[in-house]
Amino acid sequence: GSGRRERQARVGQAEVEQQAAQREAGPTAEFVMRARYCAYVRHEPDFIVRSTHPQNIAFQSDEKKWRRELVKYMKQVSYTHLEVLSVATDAPAPGECEVHFRAHSTHGILEERSTFRRDPRSKRWLYAVGKIKASK
């Protein structure tokens, strides 16, 4: 099977604090996805940069420029809570994990299916592809 787990879980302020303290280990793709959400909430572009796969369309080799763009975005959008809808391991391929979530913000709801790939050297999960399903 795909290891799919259906659920709805919200991220509150306490979890934002906990994730900030523990996220570097990134034991699962879901954990890294939640930590990325928390980084957006806390306006911490460094973690977004470090947890993005080099093949991701948003990846930029000029990290200073990328960080400036992230900070600008973070100042414009305030995320209010996160719902993790499902997690599928070894999907869409072995060594990948898909996390389906909704991120609620002052600008509406972003629903996305994010694919994370495990880096073979560091063993860290990295954000590879994001497929936006709906934005309201």
Side-chain angles (χ1 to χ4, degrees):
S2 68
R4 187 172 297 275
R5 293 177 288 148
E6 299 294 330
R7 71 165 114 193
Q8 285 201 349
R10 290 186 174 210
V11 174
Q13 187 60 33
E15 188 171 347
V16 168
E17 299 295 329
Q18 180 183 19
Q19 293 286 348
Q22 297 178 348
R23 68 178 170 219
E24 292 305 321
T28 67
E30 179 184 356
F31 186 93
V32 175
M33 190 281 308
R34 288 175 176 274
R36 285 175 60 87
Y37 169 83
C38 292
Y40 278 104
V41 170
R42 295 170 58 94
H43 297 193
E44 297 176 344
D46 290 347
F47 183 72
I48 300 301
V49 170
R50 286 193 312 272
S51 62
T52 302
H53 196 284
Q55 294 175 340
N56 183 290
I57 193 167
F59 186 88
Q60 297 183 32
S61 56
D62 184 345
E63 289 186 9
K64 284 186 179 184
K65 179 178 179 251
W66 188 8
R67 283 183 180 91
R68 283 193 306 270
E69 290 173 4
L70 284 167
V71 168
K72 182 179 178 183
Y73 172 80
M74 291 169 176
K75 288 179 178 178
Q76 292 173 347
V77 179
S78 294
Y79 285 98
T80 56
H81 70 274
L82 173 70
E83 297 173 85
V84 175
L85 304 173
S86 66
V87 178
T89 55
D90 289 328
E96 295 185 345
C97 183
E98 182 184 84
V99 181
H100 180 198
F101 68 91
R102 283 190 199 112
H104 298 254
S105 77
T106 53
H107 285 65
I109 300 169
L110 171 73
E111 185 168 343
E112 182 175 311
R113 290 184 182 272
S114 296
T115 300
F116 290 81
R117 289 192 187 112
R118 190 179 284 280
D119 181 275
R121 289 169 299 214
S122 70
K123 305 296 182 199
R124 292 173 50 221
W125 287 100
L126 300 173
Y127 175 62
V129 179
K131 294 179 186 159
I132 296 173
K133 183 177 179 186
S135 186
K136 299 174 185 162

